[in-house]
Amino acid sequence: MSANIVIGTQWGDEGKGKVIDILASRADVVVRAQGGNNAGHTVASGGETYKLHLIPSGILYKNTLCLIGAGVVLDPKDLLGEIDSLSARGISFDNLKIDPRAHIIMPWHIALDGLSEKFRGNKDIGTTHRGIGPTYMDKYERCGLRFYDLVHPDIFREKAKSVGELKNAIITKVYGGEAIDLDKVIEEYIGYGQRLAQYMDDVSVLTYEAKKAGKTILFEGAQATLLDIDFGTYPYVTSSHPLSAGVCTGSGVGPMTIDAIYGVAKAYTTRVGKGPFPTELNDETGDYIRNKGGEFGTITGRPRRTGWFDSVIVRHAVRVNGLSSLVINKLDTLAGLDTLKICVAYKKPDGSVIRDFPPTLEGLEGCEPVYEEFPGFTEDLSACRKFEELPEICRKYIARLEELCECPISMVGVGPDREQVIER
């Protein structure tokens, strides 16, 4: 398979980083197509741990071409910080390329993100306050600043002054916030552009030429299916399309380019921030899973909400992404629990049972999970490298997930390191 996508199937944090790293080690090209520095991949490799926000995971491999597509929104200050940090650890950026169409996160986007959340009060969405949503808003309002603008000082100065004056009016007159010093910000960001100019190239063309040359391409997903702006738990979602289709629009390739789509899930479910979570566990079991699984945000450090595996949402992800196979991570985290549960359907307040994920929060309201139970296991799975080496109950658990999600499971994660994966 020469062009593969890795997608999150839950609410993010499924361990995509490890799967991406495994596939990136076999790829000639790695592409990031959407989202911003509100995403994060933690990769453990060679005894080292790397936390990546914007940089494609292929950067850990010297000869891999790493592309940031037009669908990504870039905070240039954060990007340069990541480049400097990784460079200090001996990572080369000779093969990094950024599409000129990618939009730039400006200080007014970050300010407006925080002000709008404050204005919503207890109805806030729970954003990371990194300006992602407001940047996508400007993109679709057609007043955004793009990477091409950033690396051309005269163009950037003119556009940023015009847009910045409008944003300052909104910040001060609508929200009562403090105006941004535009002249200072413009000069600061021109400096960032000068440092980043060397990386500009047309990602759509580079990806097309790589495919034509028969090279192996990996499109790495950020966030996850249930955070998609259309098919997630709106409005508690991100501002882009973390679906497989978003890879095509965000990198500038056609759908026929893609050969396989991997969906990643945990052997349980987690969520960060606000929004519905039918299988959430607010008890000792939830605490056990959180602490044993290290369920704290890569970017924010926020404790993640935890719950049982929900086959309703993963089957939804299988459908809307057209998944070829599933990867189930962190099976080892469940060791030590007396009973395991899988949500197989939802029971609505009127007593009816549904198997498909509702398209609206109103349709989800009051739904209770319908569970199947499995006996727990106590064995240490960390050394298992073949499916047959797993305890029988674990094999049955995985087999049942395949049936419920209607998708084959091609990998099972049994620990944090990239070697701790069973490939079937």
Side-chain angles (χ1 to χ4, degrees):
M1 296 295 184
S2 63
N4 306 312
I5 301 175
V6 175
I7 292 293
T9 64
Q10 297 162 318
W11 280 287
D13 310 308
E14 301 96 347
K16 295 184 296 296
K18 180 170 70 173
V19 179
I20 287 167
D21 180 52
I22 291 169
L23 297 178
S25 69
R26 308 166 187 171
D28 302 302
V29 183
V30 179
V31 187
R32 169 79 182 275
Q34 52 76 221
N37 58 329
N38 58 340
H41 291 149
T42 300
V43 179
S45 180
E48 294 281 331
T49 298
Y50 302 90
K51 293 183 182 287
L52 306 174
H53 299 173
L54 285 163
I55 303 296
S57 300
I59 205 69
L60 302 179
Y61 303 97
K62 187 176 180 181
N63 296 320
T64 302
L65 182 62
C66 293
L67 307 179
I68 297 177
V72 176
V73 292
L74 288 174
D75 183 326
K77 184 177 182 179
D78 194 77
L79 175 61
L80 284 165
E82 193 171 352
I83 289 173
D84 291 342
S85 175
L86 290 170
S87 294
R89 298 175 68 179
I91 304 298
S92 170
F93 284 84
D94 291 344
N95 290 329
L96 176 66
K97 300 297 178 185
I98 304 171
D99 197 285
R101 308 170 185 90
H103 279 248
I104 301 300
I105 299 172
M106 297 296 293
W108 50 75
H109 295 128
I110 297 169
L112 287 166
D113 199 348
L115 289 166
S116 62
E117 282 284 87
K118 184 178 179 181
F119 182 80
R120 291 186 182 104
N122 60 8
K123 294 183 179 179
D124 65 308
I125 295 169
T127 77
T128 55
H129 290 211
R130 291 174 177 259
I132 309 297
T135 306
Y136 278 113
M137 287 170 64
D138 280 4
K139 175 177 181 173
Y140 289 105
E141 197 180 348
R142 293 160 293 181
C143 66
L145 298 166
R146 305 206 288 182
F147 188 57
Y148 180 88
D149 304 324
L150 183 71
V151 303
H152 291 85
D154 291 342
I155 295 173
F156 182 78
R157 191 175 282 110
E158 180 183 350
K159 289 186 177 181
K161 188 75 172 177
S162 174
V163 174
E165 287 174 353
L166 172 61
K167 299 304 176 182
N168 264 345
I170 296 171
I171 289 169
T172 57
K173 296 178 182 178
V174 175
Y175 292 108
E178 185 176 342
I180 290 169
D181 185 335
L182 297 181
D183 291 334
K184 180 180 178 181
V185 163
I186 288 168
E187 294 310 311
E188 176 187 351
Y189 277 64
I190 285 174
Y192 298 150
Q194 290 172 339
R195 284 193 62 192
L196 291 168
Q198 62 183 306
Y199 302 116
M200 188 171 72
D201 211 330
D202 192 325
V203 166
S204 176
V205 172
L206 291 171
T207 309
Y208 178 78
E209 294 297 332
K211 176 70 174 181
K212 196 165 62 170
K215 294 185 176 180
T216 301
I217 306 168
L218 173 65
F219 298 91
E220 63 171 44
Q223 288 98 25
T225 300
L226 272 291
L227 294 174
D228 183 83
I229 190 70
D230 284 329
F231 292 94
T233 47
Y234 186 89
Y236 300 101
V237 293
T238 194
S239 300
S240 59
H241 291 289
L243 303 180
S244 57
V247 162
C248 296
T249 56
S251 56
V253 301
M256 294 297 287
T257 302
I258 309 305
D259 296 305
I261 307 168
Y262 295 84
V264 186
K266 286 172 180 164
Y268 48 94
T269 310
T270 65
R271 175 161 202 171
V272 172
K274 296 190 175 184
F277 189 168
T279 66
E280 185 170 12
L281 294 168
N282 294 306
D283 57 14
E284 291 182 359
T285 300
D287 292 338
Y288 178 91
I289 292 172
R290 181 181 303 107
N291 292 323
K292 189 172 180 188
E295 297 298 349
F296 301 90
T298 301
I299 302 287
T300 63
R302 288 186 290 181
R304 296 171 185 147
R305 300 157 64 190
T306 57
W308 295 118
F309 188 93
D310 187 338
S311 69
V312 177
I313 67 171
V314 178
R315 191 167 56 250
H316 168 79
V318 169
R319 176 171 51 82
V320 299
N321 288 296
L323 296 185
S324 308
S325 69
L326 279 167
V327 178
I328 302 296
N329 271 327
K330 290 197 167 185
L331 181 61
D332 54 301
T333 298
L334 298 180
L337 293 171
D338 293 333
T339 302
L340 307 180
K341 295 183 181 182
I342 303 172
C343 172
V344 299
Y346 297 155
K347 185 177 181 180
K348 300 188 73 173
D350 64 5
S352 60
V353 175
I354 58 173
R355 293 183 72 252
D356 293 318
F357 193 75
T360 65
L361 261 61
E362 289 79 8
L364 189 59
E365 188 174 0
C367 285
E368 295 181 357
V370 177
Y371 286 119
E372 283 186 8
E373 294 190 1
F374 285 74
F377 64 96
T378 58
E379 293 90 340
D380 180 4
L381 308 183
S382 60
C384 295
R385 296 295 179 270
K386 295 181 180 178
F387 191 69
E388 295 73 22
E389 294 172 359
L390 291 173
E392 183 181 4
I393 189 59
C394 293
R395 298 198 302 271
K396 288 182 176 178
Y397 185 81
I398 294 297
R400 185 58 176 145
L401 295 187
E402 282 188 319
E403 292 173 352
L404 291 167
C405 299
E406 300 175 1
C407 188
I409 293 172
S410 58
M411 297 184 191
V412 179
V414 292
D417 206 74
R418 60 171 296 188
E419 287 79 21
Q420 292 178 300
V421 172
I422 296 168
E423 295 193 55
R424 300 175 73 192

